[in-house]
Amino acid sequence: MPNLSNITQTIAIVLVAYQLTGCFADSATSHQDRTDDKAEQQVEQEQEQEQEQEQEQEQEQAEIQIQWQPVTEYLIGSEIAEIDYYQIHLGTRVNYLDQVFVVEDPSQTSYLLKDLAKGDYYISMIAVAKNGERSDLSEPFTFSISQ
């Protein structure tokens, strides 16, 4: 006759082993789920940070609308036959206006300067006649962008 105590012990060991295997499988799955969740959270956080940085950069970049009176005569008093275009000279130092914007429509009397970072700026203008004559640079106008 078979020894029942040995069979009972064997069944108990198999059941415990099965439960442990299931436990490890659940544990591995939940660990993988937690790892996936952490990775997703990290990606979401990185995307949020990128969006915040883009918004900060957009906020740091300013626009300014400038306006002027059309040129009708030179300082010496001679009439200008016809204006061909304007040049807007912009810079962060009064004697180094390194950015030049051309306004090709001579009837236009305003211009939108975009993507200006924080800081002090100087701006001057030149009118250019169709015959090629150029006015002197206007007196610099100073403005500041602070955010």
Side-chain angles (χ1 to χ4, degrees):
M1 179 157 205
N3 186 348
L4 288 180
S5 66
N6 285 342
I7 293 176
T8 305
Q9 288 175 350
T10 304
I11 291 174
I13 292 172
V14 169
L15 285 176
V16 170
Y18 176 76
Q19 288 175 346
L20 288 176
T21 304
C23 179
F24 287 133
D26 289 344
S27 176
T29 302
S30 64
H31 175 71
Q32 183 63 39
D33 289 345
R34 284 193 306 266
T35 303
D36 290 346
D37 288 346
K38 286 181 183 179
E40 286 177 24
Q41 288 174 349
Q42 185 174 0
V43 168
E44 287 174 6
Q45 287 175 347
E46 288 172 0
Q47 288 174 343
E48 287 175 11
Q49 288 173 347
E50 286 176 12
Q51 287 175 348
E52 288 173 6
Q53 287 174 347
E54 287 174 7
Q55 288 174 349
E56 287 174 11
Q57 287 175 349
E58 287 175 6
Q59 290 172 352
E60 289 176 9
Q61 302 296 315
E63 297 177 344
I64 186 167
Q65 179 84 29
I66 61 168
Q67 296 179 328
W68 60 89
Q69 295 295 320
V71 173
T72 56
E73 60 183 44
Y74 279 23
L75 292 177
I76 57 173
S78 65
E79 293 292 320
I80 296 178
E82 202 173 343
I83 295 292
D84 192 20
Y85 61 92
Y86 294 101
Q87 287 182 345
I88 301 168
H89 295 255
L90 176 73
T92 55
R93 295 185 306 221
V94 71
N95 38 337
Y96 187 65
L97 304 176
D98 60 334
Q99 297 179 55
V100 179
F101 304 91
V102 176
V103 180
E104 293 181 4
D105 180 0
S107 65
Q108 185 175 335
T109 57
S110 67
Y111 190 82
L112 182 64
L113 296 169
K114 298 179 181 180
D115 301 327
L116 298 173
K118 292 180 192 178
D120 296 327
Y121 290 90
Y122 300 89
I123 189 168
S124 289
M125 292 189 67
I126 293 176
V128 181
K130 289 204 182 237
N131 66 4
E133 289 185 57
R134 300 165 62 94
S135 70
D136 293 332
L137 266 174
S138 66
E139 285 295 316
F141 175 79
T142 305
F143 65 94
S144 296
I145 304 291
S146 59
Q147 295 179 352

